[in-house]
Amino acid sequence: MQIQTSCEQAINRKYPEQVAIAIVKDAQGKYNPITLGWTMITSHRPPMMAISVGHTRHSLGALRQAREFVICFPASTMSEDALFCGTKSGRDLDKLAERGTETQPATVIDGVLFADAVANFECKLESELETGDHVLFVGRVVASYVNETGETHRLYTLDKDHRMGRVVPD
Ligand SMILES: Cc1cc2nc3c(=O)[nH]c(=O)nc-3n(C[C@H](O)[C@H](O)[C@H](O)COP(=O)(O)O)c2cc1C
């Protein structure tokens, strides 16, 4: 039986939620990672993915200017990186330099990949849609990578307090 409640209460039942990190070059020339829960695949052919980025984020202007970005699926071992990139702003610091997270160069776009991630996708911006307090950016995937030597389990947010970890089947 269902009991009617607020949207906020009902949405709290969504966890676990996949974690992604988008990396985009900003106006100062630094590669700025932003942690995202709101991401999705939108098409097989051509391969397209979408990310939802808040109006207040430093990454928003960078995405509009660079028109290309990397979407990374962090490994379950990368919770500290995801929390850092999701609580600090590129307006105030160079997140990659500060954390020292290992990266490798992208090959098609001007960007970097997270070397220890489960997978990385280079995307070219196709379109954007205003959706309220966030903007939906849709990118066409132009290069893809998987980690063959390291952790292959993705990172998830387990609850609304941003507790993160690996999801183990029941
Ligand atoms: C687990 C987690 C998920 C998040 N999901 C999103 C998201 O989907 N969209 C968004 O705009 N911000 C999201 N955030 C918040 C941004 O990552 C955060 O505001 C970040 O500091 C913005 O960085 P920037 O100012 O360098 O762009 C999330 C944060 C965390 C910790």
Side-chain angles (χ1 to χ4, degrees):
M1 182 177 149
Q2 296 287 305
I3 302 165
Q4 189 167 5
T5 183
S6 66
C7 183
E8 194 184 347
Q9 288 290 328
I11 278 179
N12 278 342
R13 298 284 177 95
K14 72 180 171 177
Y15 299 101
E17 180 176 72
Q18 62 191 358
V19 176
I21 302 177
I23 309 167
V24 57
K25 192 175 182 179
D26 71 7
Q28 291 74 49
K30 68 179 186 295
Y31 300 109
N32 186 57
I34 174 175
T35 301
L36 303 167
W38 299 355
T39 67
M40 67 186 293
I41 296 160
T42 65
S43 165
H44 277 307
R45 277 183 296 276
M48 308 266 265
M49 293 184 177
I51 58 175
S52 184
V53 177
H55 279 287
T56 60
R57 315 302 189 222
H58 177 68
S59 299
L60 187 94
L63 279 159
R64 285 179 167 154
Q65 189 180 44
R67 300 192 61 81
E68 56 187 15
F69 53 100
V70 166
I71 297 178
C72 150
F73 290 170
S76 59
T77 49
M78 294 174 66
S79 57
E80 291 299 320
D81 292 305
L83 202 55
F84 186 84
C85 298
T87 52
K88 309 280 183 203
S89 177
R91 238 176 247 116
D92 310 318
L93 78 170
D94 182 337
K95 294 187 222 184
L96 291 182
E98 194 85 11
R99 263 304 288 166
T101 311
E102 196 184 339
T103 60
Q104 63 187 71
T107 56
V108 178
I109 71 163
D110 182 2
V112 293
L113 320 173
F114 274 127
D116 293 331
V118 168
N120 286 274
F121 304 88
E122 295 182 30
C123 300
K124 293 259 189 199
L125 184 63
E126 285 278 331
S127 60
E128 67 168 84
L129 178 71
E130 291 282 348
T131 64
D133 53 16
H134 282 55
V135 179
L136 192 69
F137 291 93
V138 181
R140 180 192 287 249
V141 178
V142 292
S144 310
Y145 308 83
V146 291
N147 186 340
E148 286 200 313
T149 53
E151 174 66 54
T152 55
H153 289 98
R154 281 191 71 176
L155 181 67
Y156 289 82
T157 303
L158 304 177
D159 58 32
K160 68 178 174 56
D161 299 321
H162 291 160
R163 202 163 57 87
M164 294 190 212
R166 169 183 161 181
V167 173
V168 181
D170 290 335

